[in-house]
Amino acid sequence: MDGTRDPFRVLSLPYDAAPDDVRRAFRRLARETHPDAGGSASAFHQVHAAYNALTADLERERGTWAPPGEVSPYVAGLDPSLYPTCPVHLDRNDKGQQTVVFDVESRPEDWTPGSLPPPGGACHESHAATGTAPAFGVWIVALPDRRFRCVFGPPAAD
């Protein structure tokens, strides 16, 4: 699929479609356009490419596709140069309970936190300054559809 095709339009979806809506639209259009069901290979290819682009983008929190004229080009208005993403890993403790581990070592090398917290975020943990890194915090920012994004930001104000 070339970069000028909007996958939301190919799948006839609104820009705020949930992942389940994307899957349902793909299945419906795949049944209509699949060559084994009397459709054309090129139409099926467009539908399949749009679905792949959207699912990959939804996993990256819709960082690429946005409605025309939207104010911020960044997910949840978070400029990645100001609030880089903090990777999250799920782990298990000694009792077998699932725990969340923030990969705080993955901060960009030259990044320093600004003074403003990310909009709509809550600081989950703060880290003191060391000889090689400034003080920073890990912020959780709520996104639509019960999703969230973890970002690096300033330490929480006491």
Side-chain angles (χ1 to χ4, degrees):
M1 179 163 90
D2 63 75
T4 60
R5 296 290 305 203
D6 185 341
F8 285 97
R9 289 187 183 178
V10 171
L11 295 176
S12 302
L13 289 169
Y15 284 101
D16 60 349
D20 289 339
D21 297 331
V22 173
R23 187 174 55 250
R24 279 192 292 272
F26 168 72
R27 288 180 178 171
R28 178 181 46 80
L29 289 170
R31 281 192 296 270
E32 294 173 12
T33 61
H34 196 278
D36 292 345
S40 72
S42 64
F44 179 75
H45 175 72
Q46 278 190 331
V47 168
H48 194 265
Y51 176 73
N52 285 340
L54 271 183
T55 53
D57 198 40
L58 285 169
E59 290 173 7
R60 288 187 320 270
E61 300 165 20
R62 297 187 181 183
T64 305
W65 301 99
E70 188 170 283
V71 175
S72 175
Y74 308 114
V75 174
L78 299 174
D79 181 347
S81 65
L82 298 175
Y83 306 106
T85 299
C86 176
V88 177
H89 304 286
L90 298 178
D91 205 357
R92 298 228 176 249
N93 63 15
D94 300 348
K95 298 177 182 176
Q97 298 168 327
Q98 192 173 33
T99 58
V100 176
V101 178
F102 298 100
D103 185 2
V104 296
E105 299 302 318
S106 66
R107 288 182 327 280
E109 267 186 51
D110 298 332
W111 174 81
T112 51
S115 59
L116 295 175
C123 190
H124 186 71
E125 61 183 54
S126 289
H127 294 268
T130 63
T132 59
F136 67 93
V138 175
W139 293 76
I140 298 176
V141 180
L143 298 173
D145 298 330
R146 295 184 176 169
R147 294 180 306 136
F148 64 92
R149 181 173 182 188
C150 297
V151 296
F152 295 111
D158 293 327

